[in-house]
Amino acid sequence: MNRVELHHGAATDVGLVREVNEDAFLADPPVFVVADGMGGHDRGDIASAYAVEELARLAHGDYGLEEGTAAVDAALQAAQDRLLAYDEEQRAAGAADSFAAGTTVVLALLVQSPDGPHWLLANVGDSRIYRFTEGELEQVSVDHSLVQELVDSGRITPDAAAVHPSRNVVTRALGGAAMPGAVSGAADYYLLPLAAAERLLLCSDGVSGMVDDVTIASTLARYDDPRDAADALVAAAVAAGGHDNATAVVVDVVGLANEDPYDSHAQRLSLEQKLGALP
């Protein structure tokens, strides 16, 4: 068993256009979440809050890979069930038949596997997960969006997707029957060794849609403290126009300690040392 030390920071801003911040986040080890309530629908703030509340039940636990995956699945399903019930309540109270609260979600959960600690990552929608290692930024999650499908089919380039008029149309989300990708908003999962990610960034598209990857990478490189990095990323998104709510959660893997009782002389390893020790 390995003990993992994490440092983290988070920031959010309503932006310069929206009246309500419909983003929600959680930074409570071993789970980190960004949920982006969908502004084009009803009560995105409620939807993102439900998602975070359900995933917060994973905080302060220890998880194996299978157990962690099952726990995330259950939390996302619980959020989905609450959203469907909420929609029904609103319609019964006089809301339109089309009423549907929805949200995208990205999350990172620290899990233990036979190969050591890993990040279990998941996304529904177009909020994103990046890893930042040795100065290189890589988007880990794949957007569930119309423009991503157009890119995958070769009909447009990634650069064209960034300015496409339908770039905000998602194809999966947590939410009711009136949502795009209704109820079929299953998560995609990724498993990442901790050594492969010095720093994780989880963000809403209010960040990734306003600042390019070069700016994200340079910002993550500039600030050692994840709290400063999160603040700077959100500030950059607002400075770039703040067209949407902007939220960033930054998580650093600071160290690992082997708690195996048969290795009483184990020393805490820095991430740099660990990277050098692994293939």
Side-chain angles (χ1 to χ4, degrees):
M1 179 70 75
N2 292 304
R3 180 173 58 81
V4 180
E5 182 177 353
L6 304 173
H7 289 180
H8 53 84
T12 189
D13 194 284
V14 68
L16 302 178
V17 175
R18 305 282 190 185
E19 296 183 353
V20 175
N21 192 342
E22 297 184 328
D23 288 357
F25 69 85
L26 172 71
D28 198 356
V31 62
F32 302 89
V33 181
V34 169
D36 180 354
M38 300 176 68
H41 293 264
D42 305 289
R43 298 308 306 267
D45 56 334
I46 295 291
S48 62
Y50 281 1
V52 166
E53 287 172 7
E54 294 302 328
L55 289 162
R57 303 181 193 279
L58 280 63
H60 310 299
D62 295 321
Y63 300 94
L65 175 57
E66 292 185 5
E67 181 185 17
T69 305
V72 171
D73 274 342
L76 293 176
Q77 186 59 55
Q80 176 73 11
D81 292 344
R82 286 181 67 184
L83 285 171
L84 294 178
Y86 176 72
D87 289 349
E88 289 183 3
E89 291 173 0
Q90 298 306 304
R91 288 192 287 269
D97 291 342
S98 60
F99 185 97
T103 185
T104 68
V105 179
V106 285
L107 67 96
L109 177 68
L110 183 66
V111 298
Q112 293 285 346
S113 80
D115 298 327
H118 283 66
W119 285 117
L120 176 64
L121 309 173
N123 79 300
V124 182
D126 63 352
S127 293
R128 289 183 174 177
I129 306 168
Y130 295 89
R131 68 175 177 178
F132 185 70
T133 301
E134 297 182 344
E136 297 293 329
L137 182 74
E138 178 185 355
Q139 181 181 336
V140 178
S141 60
V142 178
D143 295 348
H144 300 138
S145 67
L146 176 62
V147 293
Q148 183 64 52
E149 292 183 356
L150 293 174
V151 170
D152 292 343
S153 66
R155 296 173 63 183
I156 64 173
T157 66
D159 288 343
V163 295
H164 195 282
S166 297
R167 60 187 178 279
N168 294 324
V169 177
V170 299
T171 53
R172 292 191 210 174
L174 294 182
M179 297 293 301
V183 189
S184 63
D188 285 339
Y189 286 92
Y190 309 87
L191 191 62
L192 194 66
L194 260 64
E198 294 175 0
R199 175 169 273 186
L200 283 181
L201 166 65
L202 286 69
C203 65
S204 63
D205 68 342
V207 172
S208 59
M210 296 303 302
V211 293
D212 60 22
D213 285 0
V214 173
T215 301
I216 292 174
S218 63
T219 304
L220 292 176
R222 185 177 310 129
Y223 298 97
D224 291 333
D225 190 319
R227 296 170 297 184
D228 294 336
D231 286 342
L233 283 168
V234 169
V238 174
H243 295 165
D244 201 351
N245 309 144
T247 300
V249 173
V250 178
V251 188
D252 289 347
V253 179
V254 178
L256 296 169
N258 191 337
E259 295 180 339
D260 187 337
Y262 295 101
D263 184 6
S264 60
H265 299 293
Q267 299 292 318
R268 176 179 163 180
L269 301 176
S270 70
L271 179 61
E272 183 178 13
Q273 289 172 312
K274 184 173 185 293
L275 285 170
L278 293 177

